[in-house]
Amino acid sequence: MQVESFRELLVKYQDYETNPANEDISKIESRLSQDGSYYYFICLGQQKVGAVRVIDYKQAGKSYLYEKMGYVNTGRIKSINERLTLVYYEKT
C-alpha cells in the first residue's frame, strides 16, 4: 500500500532518497520494532491490505525522532487540552 500510494510522486519527482515508495524494507522493519509504535491493519475481507501506524510519544521519547531529523526544541509548549500538547521545533 505504501509503494502504491507514493509511486506516482516518485515517478514525477524522482526523489529516490526520501520518497516512501522507495523505502528499504529494513527501515520499515525498524519502525515496526520501535517502542511506542502501534499498528492498525486495514483489511479487505480477511486480507490485510495496509496499515496505519500510531505512535505514543510518551513512551517512545517525545523528541527523539525530531532531533534525529535535525530539529531543535524551541522551548515553546502549548496545551490544547488534557490529551493534546503541542511542542514546537525548528529545523537547524
Side-chain angles (χ1 to χ4, degrees):
M1 183 176 210
Q2 177 172 310
V3 173
E4 264 185 57
S5 297
F6 290 95
R7 183 178 310 161
E8 186 178 326
L9 293 173
L10 177 64
V11 171
K12 181 176 181 177
Y13 295 109
Q14 306 283 309
D15 57 340
Y16 295 102
E17 292 181 23
T18 59
N19 189 296
N22 199 44
E23 193 169 56
D24 187 67
I25 191 70
S26 64
K27 190 171 182 181
I28 295 168
E29 289 172 343
S30 175
R31 279 200 314 266
L32 287 170
S33 64
Q34 287 179 340
D35 288 341
S37 288
Y38 302 93
Y39 287 84
Y40 293 92
F41 290 104
I42 301 167
C43 298
L44 183 60
Q46 296 298 314
Q47 182 180 0
K48 293 177 184 173
V49 295
V52 175
R53 179 179 180 211
V54 177
I55 302 171
D56 182 348
Y57 282 107
K58 291 177 186 174
Q59 292 180 357
K62 295 177 184 176
S63 61
Y64 173 76
L65 175 66
Y66 298 109
E67 291 170 359
K68 185 175 177 183
M69 294 174 55
Y71 288 87
V72 177
N73 188 326
T74 65
R76 182 176 173 206
I77 298 173
K78 182 178 181 181
S79 180
I80 303 299
N81 60 41
E82 64 183 22
R83 297 178 54 195
L84 177 63
T85 301
L86 299 179
V87 179
Y88 291 82
Y89 286 83
E90 289 181 341
K91 181 78 170 173
T92 56

